[in-house]
Amino acid sequence: MKNKVALITGITGQDGAYLAELLLQKGYAVHGIKRRSSLFNTQRIDHLYSDPHDTGRRLMLHYGDLSDSTNLIRIMQEVRPDEVYNLAAQSHVKVSFESPEYTADVDALGTLRLLEAIRILGLEKHTRFYQASTSELFGKVVETPQTEKTPFYPRSPYAVAKLYAYWITVNYREAYGMYACNGILFNHESPLRGETFVTRKITRAMARIKLGLQDCLYLGNMSALRDWGHAKDYVEMQWLMLQQDAPDDFVIATGRQSSVRDFVMMTADELGISLRFEGEGADEKGYDAETGKCLIAVDPRYFRPTEVETLLGDPTKARERLGWQPKITIEQMVSEMVRSDLREAERDALCKSQGFAVFDYNE
Ligand code: NDP
Ligand code: GDR
């Protein structure tokens, strides 16, 4: 049987890297779209890469952008994929308040451009389509836990753009009989998580604090509650969704909730730091219980104009219909992220001790 061909948009991101690895393990030929950038931007997938002159290679990268229809049509025509995973997005909620139009263009219209590319090329009965939908659709939640039937109430330009993408995916399924699915994924993290999302920001900064490379970690809303899973578990589900007899939409979550403050505490435990919190809201601070030094403080700069205070998913449908269960607990994930960030911090500490300049961009 011929190997399947997949096209992943956003292959250079966290999920793209884990999904590419999974599909290569399953024998797929994997094509990915990467953006042109002035610096190398493929660090997360470099271990999967093989030289373009290697005739047996199964990972192929194409320059492209979700804002560019003709580019997407050309890539789709060249690749004629069995499966498209649309993971590309301006994925940062806070940044979407600063770049709402760009976020709408890429996250909403980008999805439409891909679906149209499939249709224009007459591939709608051949190519299966996965859309990276999000728990941010639930926003100001109207019921807890959230299921596939919970009404949406988006709270950011990012979430509003993803709402369009969700419905255009449903519409193309119904209008043209396409095999198109939405995975409504709750937050998922890993050592590959971008440094400005809260979990990675915490594990990275606290590892640096432990090694004396940083004094204090500034955060926004520490009371926000999230249902955090591991990206490795979640990409398996993305693949599973495209292997069914009929397309459908699924909530992917762990069913367990923690606050940002809980995540800080778990990270501190892992690093052997004993933390004591005092104060409330913008005045809340976390002190090292042994030295009395302030290690955690709130900076209102990180507050959002409209916040999503609480999210908790109910993954029953995914469990019952697809047999899917997350394998990695939040404690195991925190431990893995801390170990990885400690290694990076140790490398920086070594460079510093040898007289090399070490810069850190804190955001
Ligand atoms: P990342 O931010 O790590 O990756 C986003 C990817 O999209 C990167 O490869 C990025 O490229 C690419 N990208 C951004 N803009 C464009 C563009 N204009 N054209 C082409 N590619 C672009 O996100 P994640 O891997 O965490 O998430 C994957 C998807 O899942 C996203 O759509 C996100 O919104 C969604 N999602 C994520 C969740 C999570 O908790 N991680 C939960 C629910 C949904 P570059 O590397 O060059 O920046
Ligand atoms: P989120 O993730 O907005 O849920 O979107 P993020 O990690 O950015 O924020 C989670 C919660 O933590 C609070 N918070 C902070 N967030 C950041 N980034 N930085 C801080 O300093 C900070 N302090 C507190 C936030 O206010 C928020 O409540 C992620 C993205 O991956 C989306 O693409 C995806 O759709 C959703 O998860 C599900």
Side-chain angles (χ1 to χ4, degrees):
M1 210 173 83
K2 191 177 143 286
N3 285 355
K4 279 194 187 168
V5 178
L7 174 65
I8 304 177
T9 74
I11 195 165
T12 56
Q14 171 189 253
D15 288 14
Y18 281 109
L19 181 65
E21 190 166 338
L22 179 81
L23 296 182
L24 288 169
Q25 277 165 10
K26 290 186 183 296
Y28 280 62
V30 175
H31 293 256
I33 297 183
K34 70 167 175 176
R35 294 196 284 181
R36 194 271 155 179
S37 136
S38 65
L39 293 170
F40 286 132
N41 60 354
T42 52
Q43 295 89 326
R44 290 186 176 107
I45 49 170
D46 283 346
H47 63 295
L48 304 173
Y49 183 78
S50 44
D51 191 283
H53 307 98
D54 173 358
T55 46
R57 79 196 169 112
R58 285 192 290 117
L59 175 67
M60 277 74 56
L61 298 181
H62 307 254
Y63 282 111
D65 198 296
L66 281 202
S67 61
D68 183 346
S69 317
T70 51
N71 158 270
L72 296 175
I73 294 170
R74 187 181 49 72
I75 295 171
M76 198 74 76
Q77 189 173 30
E78 259 174 53
V79 174
R80 302 183 75 81
D82 298 296
E83 297 169 8
V84 172
Y85 295 87
N86 182 29
L87 309 183
Q90 189 304 91
S91 71
H92 203 284
V93 173
K94 175 86 186 338
V95 172
S96 78
F97 289 97
E98 288 165 44
S99 295
E101 184 183 334
Y102 174 73
T103 304
D105 189 18
V106 172
D107 298 13
L109 293 183
T111 308
L112 173 69
R113 291 184 185 108
L114 278 171
L115 288 164
E116 268 299 284
I118 292 171
R119 206 168 72 88
I120 288 166
L121 295 166
L123 293 171
E124 64 269 39
K125 292 286 183 296
H126 170 79
T127 300
R128 296 186 168 200
F129 185 81
Y130 171 85
Q131 170 57 18
S133 284
T134 164
S135 52
E136 285 291 298
L137 295 172
F138 300 120
K140 193 170 177 183
V141 299
V142 297
E143 68 177 8
T144 295
Q146 295 87 52
T147 71
E148 293 77 4
K149 295 203 163 66
T150 303
F152 296 139
Y153 191 149
R155 291 271 280 174
S156 63
Y158 166 79
V160 174
K162 285 282 188 175
L163 185 74
Y164 176 88
Y166 172 93
W167 282 116
I168 201 69
T169 300
V170 172
N171 183 246
Y172 272 53
R173 178 167 78 213
E174 293 175 354
Y176 307 116
M178 281 179 65
Y179 191 113
C181 303
N182 284 289
I184 307 172
L185 271 58
F186 283 61
N187 299 52
H188 46 280
E189 321 294 314
S190 74
L192 297 186
R193 184 59 144 154
E195 291 89 345
T196 62
F197 296 99
V198 77
T199 55
R200 182 78 198 286
K201 181 173 168 181
I202 293 168
T203 56
R204 187 167 176 272
M206 291 189 69
R208 298 178 76 80
I209 288 172
K210 176 80 180 176
L211 297 193
L213 291 166
Q214 185 172 332
D215 295 326
C216 185
L217 162 63
Y218 292 94
L219 291 170
N221 176 14
M222 277 200 267
S223 300
L225 292 158
R226 289 291 184 276
D227 177 333
W228 277 299
H230 196 297
K232 205 170 183 178
D233 279 339
Y234 286 35
V235 297
E236 198 186 329
M237 184 63 197
Q238 298 172 0
W239 171 78
L240 260 180
M241 258 186 247
L242 295 197
Q243 314 308 314
Q244 306 306 305
D245 292 337
D248 206 346
D249 307 319
F250 291 91
V251 158
I252 306 302
T254 68
R256 183 178 158 192
Q257 203 179 40
S258 315
S259 67
V260 171
R261 193 178 300 99
D262 294 335
F263 201 96
V264 171
M265 292 299 270
M266 285 186 238
T267 304
D269 280 353
E270 194 63 33
L271 286 164
I273 300 172
S274 172
L275 270 186
R276 171 173 51 80
F277 280 95
E278 282 179 22
E280 269 181 35
D283 295 324
E284 183 168 359
K285 289 196 167 54
Y287 296 94
D288 185 323
E290 280 168 26
T291 64
K293 266 181 69 178
C294 177
L295 304 184
I296 316 286
V298 173
D299 182 345
R301 190 154 71 97
Y302 298 115
F303 292 164
R304 294 161 184 199
T306 39
E307 171 67 305
V308 173
E309 294 288 351
T310 174
L311 288 172
L312 176 64
D314 175 356
T316 304
K317 181 173 166 187
R319 191 176 57 238
E320 289 181 356
R321 304 257 186 97
L322 305 173
W324 178 85
Q325 292 234 66
K327 299 183 193 86
I328 306 168
T329 65
I330 188 167
E331 288 81 6
Q332 289 167 330
M333 183 177 79
V334 170
S335 170
E336 184 191 355
M337 290 175 73
V338 167
R339 276 183 278 121
S340 167
D341 279 326
L342 258 183
R343 266 197 307 279
E344 278 192 21
E346 278 161 6
R347 192 192 52 204
D348 278 359
L350 183 65
C351 288
K352 205 174 166 186
S353 72
Q354 297 301 308
F356 293 100
V358 172
F359 299 105
D360 189 35
Y361 183 73
N362 264 312
E363 180 57 51

